[in-house]
């Protein structure tokens, strides 16, 4: 502190000059002019030389000029002083920038760096940094180091890590500061300030002397201070250590010497100036920036100094942050010019693209405006001449005419009149007019008050149902009951029918038959996979392309208020981010609510009580309970083999014969072949797969007929020509195209005499065969669309054709059987194997063997065969029951003996690729366990189904009709079923299926074991132990 006593002998008066004030109304108080001479005297005592780039230093007094980036609120911020070698004699010397300023306050800058000579306004929010800047301004040392943050998204006023900022920055002078907007003078709780920085020169951070941190400011009379270390020679910045700010040690960066007359430098400068001119022509804001900066350069021309020109190019461009920082860090003039030119070129490309887009938009707008004016003039001319009235008047008249024929409710009529008045006041080209017009189109196309007469005749309905479907006695009787009630009441309102059954049993066709029996219009739509509630309730009219819901579209399509609407796949309805469509169906299907159904698009009540809704589903479990509660469920269980055979003979085979073009041919499909087709190819409950196979048989038959008889019997028809042209001009058939179509011309000329005498003679027998390329009309330049719309007539089948499909030849038509055998074990199986009955997902039953095996282990249970959770639980229950009754079953010698502690049990159900789920296998799994542990085989002719409980009760299951059908097909002789399913089996299973099968009804597991092991020695012992 004693090496330079003269420098700080007394406090300079400049430190107390009002350099920083909290101005009011955006005005800044200027420092007193009398202090300038005394400041000059103090500064001369420091013997500091004027820096070489002092031309960039701002003067103390405001000159009124500002740089391109100067904030509009600081018109009096001091610009750089004019470049001069020394002050003029007799003039007042301005304060110069210290040439050596090793330690400065470090202020990180976000988003883009600062360049020497160009103002920058920054907002400082850190209260410690704000306090430090205030003190700096009071002391007359308004200098800091501005460096760029590496993270573009970061925003901080202090540096905690030197690696978070770029090392190269600028030494900037704080020319003026402003308080936040709305703050009052003397307010101690100031949140921040805006400082205008003027960079002087480039600097480089060598090390971080003091990192910025958060200091807790306590409310005390004595401010909390940090004792600053005594640093020799840098005492002018010691006061900064009292604040929680960042202090760095910096070195000055000097631009390397260069020759202004170097050809590369001159070329770079010329190119930069040229790019400046190009951008200025495209971008007016850029041109204003260049003009303002040129005016501010009073005594120097930036375009004559290469280093300043490069800085100027980078400062006014909006390039990438990394590229701008590279320009700042470059100390070689030609390299700096090259990088600045690259940034400027990108700015030019952006300006050109912006200009092109602007021109395109202007041209489109101008074209549309021109078309609009011309159309308006054309309308006016036509209106004056009486050639055409206004299109809007015609549209309004059309809507009024439609509405006059409809019986709209009063609420709907009021809305219609309001919308019609709105349309009359709107311009046709307005967007609101199109929305209103579409709404009026929909509201006038709903069949208000339009009904179709209904027919409740039971004989008529019975005839239609019998003609369309075979079997389904229960469903037909329920439908007739439904019609009888409607006949007595005069209406079938308030009924929602739900047809449930496996795929292919004819649920959709039953809905069509009901519509035909009643004489109602039919409309079908599917809700499978539907996730948008707007499909049911409609879209709001505010959306582009809004439409009403499906039910409103149905009413428009059928044109009546009482159609039959079939909602297909109601059990597969989805749920997404756009709402729950199943919940939206509640209002539409509820008889108590649908008399005033409110669609989002129509926004008027629509009466749906006269609509008869019929829903279809494959599974009731996936239908929401509130929705299912509103339906009357009719179960369509499927067809047995005899019914399938009759359906194939009466319906499927004739339809397939007609569809294959063999309607008049003698093609016979034997009944035995149909039985084999049903048994080994199509075991599903429905007939859809059977129809596919029959269609395949007739297609294959058609192929064989055509291949065996050949083209002589079925000739390909010739290209259609005009008969009058052929008769009048037989020799002049397009002579200019004779060469490329020579074969066709020959066929035409040879067949024309034949066509005059007899159309049925085999004219093609004397002509060589023609390829498809010769007879296909090809488009030409003269006739680019040479196609014909004449419909081809079906060819007659000769009477000599006889085809018979027998069981022996069936394989040639449909391939090998899908199901090889009905059951796995025909001979007596080993102990541990039993036979169960299952219900597959396609609606068919199946015979499923259950295999159990024991091996040394630790008492575990392993289950395989792609078993579901319910089957796994049934296996656990069965094993637990066997363990609990091991002594009674004779498996252990005493009740105290442990069982299976050192044995593992493995249960497997074959056909592992097919998933198996459900409780039906409980009795079969328990019988397999007892057979395994007692070493007693189970008769393979016995099959069983039923759920078991832990105490040995046998509970009812479903799908008995399909399961018994599968057992009948497999030759099972005894079926063990739950006693609770007796009524279901006796009523729903046909007698033809039960023929040859003895059904045993059981209530407990003991009855199951008694029947399964009847006649075995172990069963005789159970009579005494197993009670």
């Amino acid at each position: 502190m004693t090496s330079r006593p003269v420098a700080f002998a007394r406090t300079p008066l400049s430190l107390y000059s009002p350099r920083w004030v909290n101005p009011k109304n955006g005005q800044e108080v200027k420092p007193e002019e009398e202090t300038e001479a005394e400041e000059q005297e103090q500064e001369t005592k420091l013997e500091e030389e004027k820096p070489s780039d002092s031309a960039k230093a701002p003067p103390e007094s405001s000159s009124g000029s500002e740089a391109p980036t100067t904030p509009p609120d600081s018109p009096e911020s001091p610009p750089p002083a004019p470049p001069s070698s020394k002050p003029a004699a007799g003039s007042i010397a301005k304060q110069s920038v210290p040439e050596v300023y090793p330690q400065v306050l470090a202020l990180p800058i976000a988003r883009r760096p600062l360049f020497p000579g160009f103002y920058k306004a920054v907002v400082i929010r850190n209260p410690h940094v704000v306090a430090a800047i205030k003190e700096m301004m009071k002391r007359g040392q308004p200098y800091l180091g501005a460096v760029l943050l590496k993270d573009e998204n970061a925003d901080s006023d202090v540096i905690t890590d030197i690696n978070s900022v770029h090392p190269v920055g600028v030494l900037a002078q704080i020319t003026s500061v402003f308080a936040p907007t709305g703050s009052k003078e003397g307010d101690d709780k100031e949140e921040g300030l805006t400082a205008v920085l003027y960079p002087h020169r480039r600097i480089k951070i060598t090390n971080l002397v003091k990192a910025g941190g958060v200091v807790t400011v306590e409310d005390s009379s004595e401010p909390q201070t940090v004792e600053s270390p005594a640093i020799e020679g840098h005492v002018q910045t010691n006061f900064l250590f009292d604040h929680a700010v960042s202090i760095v040690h910096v070195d000055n960066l000097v631009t390397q010497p260069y020759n202004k007359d170097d050809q590369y430098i001159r070329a770079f400068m010329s190119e930069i100036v040229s790019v400046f001119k190009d951008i200025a022509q495209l971008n007016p804001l850029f041109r204003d920036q260049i003009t303002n900066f040129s005016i501010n350069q009073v005594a120097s021309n930036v375009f004559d100094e290469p280093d300043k020109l490069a800085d100027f190019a980078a400062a006014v461009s909006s390039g990438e942050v990394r590229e701008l920082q590279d320009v700042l860090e470059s100390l070689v003039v030609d390299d700096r010019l090259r990088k600045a030119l690259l940034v400027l070129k990108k700015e030019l490309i952006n300006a050109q693209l912006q200009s092109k887009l602007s021109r395109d938009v202007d041209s489109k707008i101008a074209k549309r405006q021109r078309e609009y004016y011309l159309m308006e003039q054309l309308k006016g001319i036509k209106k004056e001449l009486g050639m055409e009235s206004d299109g809007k008047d015609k549209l309004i008249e059309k809507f009024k005419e439609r509405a006059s024929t409809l019986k709209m409710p009063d609420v709907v009529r009021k809305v219609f009149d309001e919308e019609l008045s709105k349309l009359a006041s709107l311009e046709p080209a307005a967007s609101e007019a199109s929305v209103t017009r579409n709404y009026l189109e929909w509201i006038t196309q709903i069949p208000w008050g339009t009904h179709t007469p209904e027919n409740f005749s039971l004989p008529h309905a019975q005839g239609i149902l019998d003609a369309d479907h075979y079997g389904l006695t229960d469903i037909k009787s329920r439908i007739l009951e439904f019609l009888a009630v409607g006949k007595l009441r005069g209406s079938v309102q308030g009924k929602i029918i739900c047809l449930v059954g496996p795929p292919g049993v004819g649920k959709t066709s039953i809905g069509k038959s009901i519509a035909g029996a009643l004489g109602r219009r039919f409309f079908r739509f599917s809700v499978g996979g539907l996730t948008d509630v707007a499909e049911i309730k409609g879209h709001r009219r505010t959306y582009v392309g809004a439409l009403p819901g499906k039910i409103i579209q149905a009413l428009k399509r059928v044109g009546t208020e009482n159609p039959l609407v079939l909602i297909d796949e109601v059990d597969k309805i989805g749920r997404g981010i756009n709402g729950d469509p199943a919940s939206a169906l509640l209002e539409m299907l509820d008889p108590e609510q649908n008399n005033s159904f409110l669609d989002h698009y129509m926004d008027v009540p629509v009466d749906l009580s006269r609509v008869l809704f019929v829903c279809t589903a494959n599974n009731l479990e996936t239908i929401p309970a509130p929705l299912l509660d509103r339906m009357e469920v009719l179960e369509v269980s499927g067809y047995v083999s005899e019914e399938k055979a009759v359906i194939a003979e009466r319906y499927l085979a004739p339809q397939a014969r007609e569809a294959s073009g063999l309607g008049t041919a003698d093609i016979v499909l034997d009944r035995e072949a149909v039985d084999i087709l049903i048994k080994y190819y199509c075991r599903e409950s429905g007939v859809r797969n059977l129809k596919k196979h029959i269609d395949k048989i007739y297609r294959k038959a058609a192929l064989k007929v055509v291949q065996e008889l050949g083209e002589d019997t079925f000739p390909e028809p010739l290209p259609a020509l005009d008969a009058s042209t052929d008769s009048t001009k037989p020799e002049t058939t397009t002579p200019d195209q004779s060469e490329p179509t020579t074969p066709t011309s020959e066929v035409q000329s040879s067949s024309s005499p034949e066509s005059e005498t007899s159309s049925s003679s085999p004219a093609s027998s004397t002509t060589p065969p023609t390829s498809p390329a010769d007879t296909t009309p090809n488009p030409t330049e003269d006739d680019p669309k040479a196609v014909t719309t004449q419909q081809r007539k079906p060819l007659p089948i000769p009477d000599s054709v006889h085809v018979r499909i027998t069981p022996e030849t069936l394989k040639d038509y449909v391939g090998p059987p899908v199901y090889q055998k009905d059951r796995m074990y025909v001979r007596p199986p080993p102990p541990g194997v039993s036979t169960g009955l299952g219900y597959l997902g396609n609606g068919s039953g199946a015979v499923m063997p259950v295999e159990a095996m024991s091996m040394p282990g630790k008492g575990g249970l392993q289950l395989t065969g792609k078993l579901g959770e319910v089957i796994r639980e049934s296996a656990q229950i069965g094993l637990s029951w066997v363990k609990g009754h091991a002594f009674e079953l004779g498996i252990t010698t005493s009740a105290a003996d442990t069982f299976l502690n050192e044995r593992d049990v493995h249960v497997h159900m074959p056909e592992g690729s097919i998933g198996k789920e459900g409780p039906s296998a409980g009795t079969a799994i328990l019988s397999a366990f007892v057979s395994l542990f007692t070493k007693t085989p189970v008769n393979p002719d016995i099959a069983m189904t039923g759920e078991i409980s832990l105490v040995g009760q046998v509970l009812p299951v479903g799908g008995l009709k399909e399961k018994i059908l599968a057992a009948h097909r497999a030759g099972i002789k005894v079926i063990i079923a739950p006693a609770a399913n007796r009524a279901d089996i006796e009523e729903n299973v046909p007698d033809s299926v039960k023929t040859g099968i003895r059904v045993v009804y059981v209530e407990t597991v003991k009855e199951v074991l008694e029947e399964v092991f009847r006649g075995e020695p172990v069963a005789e012992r159970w009579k005494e132990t197993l009670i």
Side-chain angles (χ1 to χ4, degrees):
M1 296 295 293
T2 59
S3 59
R4 301 180 62 183
V6 180
F8 293 89
R10 64 184 180 91
T11 304
L13 296 177
S14 60
L15 298 182
Y16 300 97
S17 60
R19 293 180 178 271
W20 184 90
V21 294
N22 195 358
K24 295 182 179 179
N25 299 325
Q27 299 297 326
E28 182 180 355
V29 181
K30 298 183 180 180
E32 296 293 335
E33 296 181 357
E34 290 79 8
T35 62
E36 294 183 356
E38 188 170 357
E39 290 176 12
Q40 178 66 21
E41 179 181 358
Q42 295 294 334
E43 291 169 1
T44 53
K45 292 181 181 181
L46 297 174
E47 298 180 359
E48 294 179 349
E49 295 181 0
K50 192 175 185 180
S52 59
D53 55 352
S54 61
K56 303 177 184 178
E60 289 295 322
S61 60
S62 175
S63 61
S65 62
E66 58 182 0
T69 58
T70 302
D73 295 337
S74 58
E76 297 181 355
S77 57
S84 59
S85 59
K86 60 176 66 178
S91 63
I92 300 177
K94 303 297 181 182
Q95 181 181 5
S96 60
V97 181
E99 183 177 1
V100 178
Y101 214 93
Q103 290 185 359
V104 293
L105 182 146
L107 181 65
I109 304 297
R111 287 177 284 280
R112 61 180 290 124
L114 275 63
F115 289 90
F118 301 96
Y119 287 97
K120 176 70 174 181
V122 296
V123 178
I124 303 170
R125 295 183 176 86
N126 192 310
H128 305 290
V129 180
V130 171
I133 290 177
K134 289 180 180 181
E135 188 169 354
M136 289 166 59
M137 298 297 290
K138 290 180 180 180
R139 290 174 176 266
Q141 299 178 18
Y143 302 104
L144 53 82
V147 289
L148 180 67
L149 287 167
K150 292 182 178 180
D151 187 1
E152 297 181 6
N153 298 322
D155 189 7
S156 175
D157 293 335
V158 294
I159 301 174
T160 58
D161 185 9
I162 194 172
N163 296 322
S164 63
V165 296
H166 291 278
V168 178
V170 293
L171 179 69
Q173 178 182 350
I174 306 173
T175 60
S176 57
V177 290
F178 301 93
T181 305
S183 62
K184 298 180 180 180
E185 187 175 1
D187 190 359
D188 295 336
K189 297 182 180 179
E190 190 174 322
E191 296 182 356
L193 58 81
T194 301
V196 179
L197 306 181
Y198 180 81
H200 289 285
R201 59 174 178 263
R202 288 172 169 81
I203 58 175
K204 182 177 182 181
I205 300 176
T206 57
N207 66 301
L208 182 62
V209 177
K210 178 178 178 295
V214 179
V215 177
T216 303
V217 180
E218 299 179 355
D219 188 9
S220 60
S221 58
E222 294 295 333
Q224 183 178 1
T225 59
V226 179
E227 184 177 355
S228 58
I231 302 176
E232 184 68 21
H234 307 310
V235 293
Q236 69 272 27
T237 58
N238 279 356
F239 66 92
L240 294 176
F241 287 89
D242 298 337
H243 303 277
V245 297
S246 305
I247 304 175
V248 294
H249 190 280
V250 298
D251 292 338
N252 295 337
L253 295 180
V254 182
T255 303
Q256 296 183 8
Y258 61 89
N259 184 9
K260 187 184 299 185
D261 297 331
D262 184 75
Q263 57 179 354
Y264 292 103
I265 294 178
R266 295 179 65 85
F268 278 129
M269 295 177 64
S270 300
E271 182 64 20
I272 289 176
V273 173
S274 176
V275 174
F276 269 135
K277 294 179 180 179
D278 294 340
I279 300 178
Q281 294 177 357
L282 298 174
N283 193 342
L285 297 177
F286 197 86
R287 180 171 61 248
D288 295 342
Q289 278 187 327
I290 298 175
T291 303
N292 293 336
F293 181 77
S294 301
I295 295 175
N296 293 335
Q297 300 296 323
V298 180
S300 64
N301 188 0
V302 71
F303 297 101
D304 292 337
E305 299 183 18
D307 53 345
K308 293 183 179 180
L309 181 62
D311 292 345
F312 174 55
V316 297
S317 64
S318 58
E320 297 182 0
V321 177
R322 182 66 259 180
E323 295 176 348
L324 298 178
Q325 182 66 23
D326 290 343
V327 175
L328 181 65
E329 295 178 359
S330 180
L331 301 179
V332 181
V333 173
D334 55 352
D335 183 57
R336 187 187 302 175
L337 288 170
R338 183 183 296 105
K339 293 179 179 179
L341 180 60
L342 177 62
V343 174
L344 211 57
K345 282 286 188 180
K346 292 183 178 180
E347 188 78 18
L348 176 60
I349 294 174
N350 293 336
Q352 291 174 346
L353 179 60
Q354 182 180 358
S355 178
K356 180 179 180 301
L357 295 176
S358 178
R359 290 196 305 270
D360 293 343
V361 173
D362 292 342
S363 63
K364 290 181 181 179
I365 294 177
K367 182 180 179 181
R368 292 177 182 175
Q369 291 290 339
R370 182 173 176 271
E371 292 176 353
Y372 173 76
Y373 292 143
L374 291 177
M375 289 299 297
E376 290 297 323
Q377 291 178 2
L378 182 61
K379 289 179 182 179
I381 293 173
K382 288 184 177 181
K383 198 170 184 180
E384 290 294 332
L385 295 177
M387 298 172 59
E388 182 180 296
S389 61
D390 193 357
K392 184 169 64 175
D393 297 336
K394 283 188 175 182
L395 195 62
I396 294 175
E397 189 65 28
K398 181 185 73 172
F399 289 141
K400 289 182 177 179
E401 183 178 353
R402 282 186 188 175
S404 62
T405 60
L406 300 175
K407 188 179 179 181
M408 292 184 179
D410 295 337
V411 178
V412 180
R413 177 69 68 176
K414 181 180 179 181
V415 173
F416 170 77
D417 294 338
E418 292 176 356
E419 294 293 330
L420 200 64
S421 302
K422 183 193 298 184
L423 181 64
S425 62
L426 293 172
E427 289 294 330
S431 59
E432 184 68 19
S434 62
V435 175
T436 305
R437 183 171 63 251
N438 292 336
Y439 180 78
L440 290 173
E441 289 279 356
W442 279 102
I443 202 172
T444 55
Q445 287 182 353
I446 295 177
W448 306 101
T450 304
H451 299 79
T452 54
E454 293 180 313
N455 186 358
F456 293 107
S457 173
L458 296 185
H460 172 73
Q462 183 74 50
I464 291 180
L465 292 175
D466 291 340
D468 294 343
H469 299 86
Y470 177 81
L472 302 177
T473 306
D474 295 337
I475 296 297
K476 291 180 181 178
S477 62
R478 292 288 296 275
I479 293 174
L480 293 177
E481 294 171 3
F482 177 75
L483 296 180
V485 173
K487 186 179 185 67
L488 297 177
R489 291 184 54 200
S491 173
V492 292
Q493 297 181 17
K495 295 292 183 181
I496 290 90
I497 302 174
C498 182
L499 302 174
V500 180
V505 296
K507 299 183 293 296
T508 303
S509 59
I510 291 174
K512 291 182 180 179
S513 300
I514 297 174
L518 288 172
R520 291 195 175 200
R521 302 283 179 87
F522 179 78
F523 183 85
R524 172 195 170 274
F525 70 93
S526 176
V527 295
L530 192 68
T531 59
D532 191 358
V533 71
E535 295 291 334
I536 306 297
K537 297 279 289 182
H539 301 82
R540 303 286 182 184
R541 274 193 285 168
T542 54
Y543 299 126
V544 177
L547 286 174
K550 286 290 186 181
I551 188 61
I552 302 298
Q553 298 179 29
L555 294 178
K556 174 188 174 184
R557 183 76 59 84
V558 299
T560 177
E561 274 191 328
N562 61 338
L564 187 145
V565 177
L566 180 71
I567 305 176
D568 226 346
E569 309 294 350
V570 74
D571 60 327
K572 300 176 182 63
I573 193 167
R575 183 173 184 176
I577 60 175
N578 295 323
D580 184 11
S583 301
L585 284 175
L586 296 177
E587 180 185 357
M588 189 173 74
L589 299 181
D590 191 349
E592 302 297 330
Q593 301 180 33
N594 60 9
N595 58 352
S596 58
F597 177 75
L598 193 64
D599 185 87
H600 289 162
Y601 182 86
M602 304 306 302
D603 205 20
V604 292
V606 180
D607 188 6
L608 302 180
S609 61
R610 299 181 180 90
V611 179
L612 178 58
F613 292 99
V614 177
C615 304
T616 66
N618 298 124
N619 188 7
L620 293 178
E621 296 178 359
T622 57
I623 302 178
L627 184 60
L628 185 63
D629 184 60
R630 287 163 169 79
M631 302 177 183
E632 184 176 352
V633 179
L634 302 182
E635 186 174 355
V636 187
S637 59
Y639 305 96
V640 296
S641 299
E642 289 76 8
E643 293 174 340
K644 284 186 178 181
V646 176
I647 292 172
E649 182 180 355
R650 294 186 182 180
Y651 302 96
L652 303 182
Q655 293 175 4
R657 185 185 295 113
E658 291 293 334
S660 302
L662 302 173
T664 59
D666 184 17
I667 310 294
V668 179
L669 179 61
D670 286 352
R671 179 65 179 267
E672 293 78 8
V674 174
D675 293 339
I676 293 178
L677 197 65
I678 295 171
K679 186 175 182 180
Y680 293 103
Y681 292 88
C682 310
R683 292 185 178 179
E684 299 82 6
S685 296
V687 294
R688 183 176 293 131
N689 193 30
L690 180 62
K691 182 179 184 301
K692 293 178 182 178
H693 281 77
I694 293 177
D695 290 342
K696 185 177 181 180
I697 290 173
Y698 279 94
R699 288 197 306 268
K700 186 77 71 173
L703 175 61
K704 289 186 176 182
V705 168
V706 174
Q707 287 180 342
E708 290 177 1
L709 298 181
E711 294 292 330
D712 294 340
T713 307
F714 303 106
E716 185 68 18
L718 301 175
L721 297 174
D722 191 357
S724 61
T725 305
D726 293 344
S727 60
T728 55
K729 299 179 181 180
E731 301 295 336
T732 59
T733 57
T734 61
D736 55 338
Q737 300 180 4
S738 60
E739 292 183 2
T741 59
T742 301
T744 305
S745 301
E746 292 176 358
V747 173
Q748 293 173 359
S749 61
S750 62
S751 61
S752 57
E754 300 288 338
S755 62
E756 294 176 358
T757 58
S758 175
S759 60
S760 61
S761 61
S764 61
S765 61
T766 60
T767 59
T770 58
S771 63
D774 297 331
T775 58
T776 302
N778 297 322
T780 60
E781 295 181 359
D782 298 335
D783 189 11
K785 295 182 179 179
V787 295
T788 177
T789 57
Q790 184 176 0
Q791 185 177 4
R792 295 183 58 164
K793 296 181 179 180
L795 297 177
I797 307 297
D799 297 336
S800 59
V801 175
H802 302 282
V803 179
R804 189 178 186 87
I805 296 95
T806 62
E808 291 76 15
T809 60
L810 183 63
K811 185 177 179 181
D812 298 334
Y813 291 88
V814 292
V818 178
Y819 304 98
Q820 301 296 332
K821 54 185 178 180
D822 294 307
R823 55 179 177 174
M824 184 178 296
Y825 296 98
V826 179
R827 297 178 181 179
V833 178
S834 65
T835 304
L837 297 175
Y839 180 81
L840 302 180
N842 59 2
S844 64
V847 176
M848 296 183 177
V850 179
E851 301 175 344
M853 182 176 289
S854 177
M855 64 207 73
K858 297 181 180 180
L861 176 62
Q862 185 177 359
L863 303 170
T864 57
K866 202 175 182 181
L867 307 182
E869 187 66 26
V870 178
I871 294 184
R872 291 175 176 272
E873 293 177 356
S874 298
Q876 294 283 356
I877 293 172
L879 184 59
S880 298
W881 190 90
V882 172
K883 285 183 178 181
H885 299 79
F887 177 70
E888 291 86 348
L889 294 172
I891 301 174
T892 60
T893 58
S894 65
D897 291 347
T898 58
F899 176 56
L900 289 180
N901 286 342
E902 297 181 355
R903 304 286 293 179
D904 285 347
V905 179
H906 186 174
V907 177
H908 176 68
M909 298 182 69
E911 297 184 2
S913 62
I914 301 175
K916 306 167 188 68
E917 179 62 299
S920 301
T923 55
I925 294 176
L926 187 142
S927 300
F929 285 153
V930 175
S931 173
L932 174 66
F933 299 135
T934 60
K935 298 180 175 58
T936 305
V938 178
N939 189 348
D941 292 335
I942 299 177
M944 61 201 78
T945 181
E947 180 182 358
I948 61 174
S949 67
L950 193 59
V951 296
Q953 296 293 321
V954 179
L955 306 179
V957 293
L960 267 301
K961 180 179 179 180
E962 289 77 12
K963 293 176 182 178
I964 296 177
L965 180 61
H968 175 77
R969 187 172 55 241
I972 299 295
K973 297 179 181 179
V974 178
I975 294 178
I976 302 175
N981 290 113
R982 179 189 293 268
D984 185 17
I985 295 174
E986 293 178 351
E987 181 180 356
N988 296 326
V989 180
D991 294 335
S992 60
V993 176
K994 293 184 290 186
T995 302
I997 298 178
R998 183 170 63 93
V999 182
V1000 178
Y1001 300 101
V1002 296
E1003 294 182 353
T1004 63
V1005 171
K1006 297 176 183 179
E1007 297 178 9
V1008 174
L1009 297 179
E1010 181 181 352
E1011 182 64 33
V1012 170
F1013 298 98
R1014 182 183 299 274
E1016 298 292 338
V1018 67
E1020 297 296 331
R1021 187 169 62 250
W1022 291 345
K1023 292 181 180 179
E1024 301 177 359
T1025 59
L1026 194 62
I1027 299 175

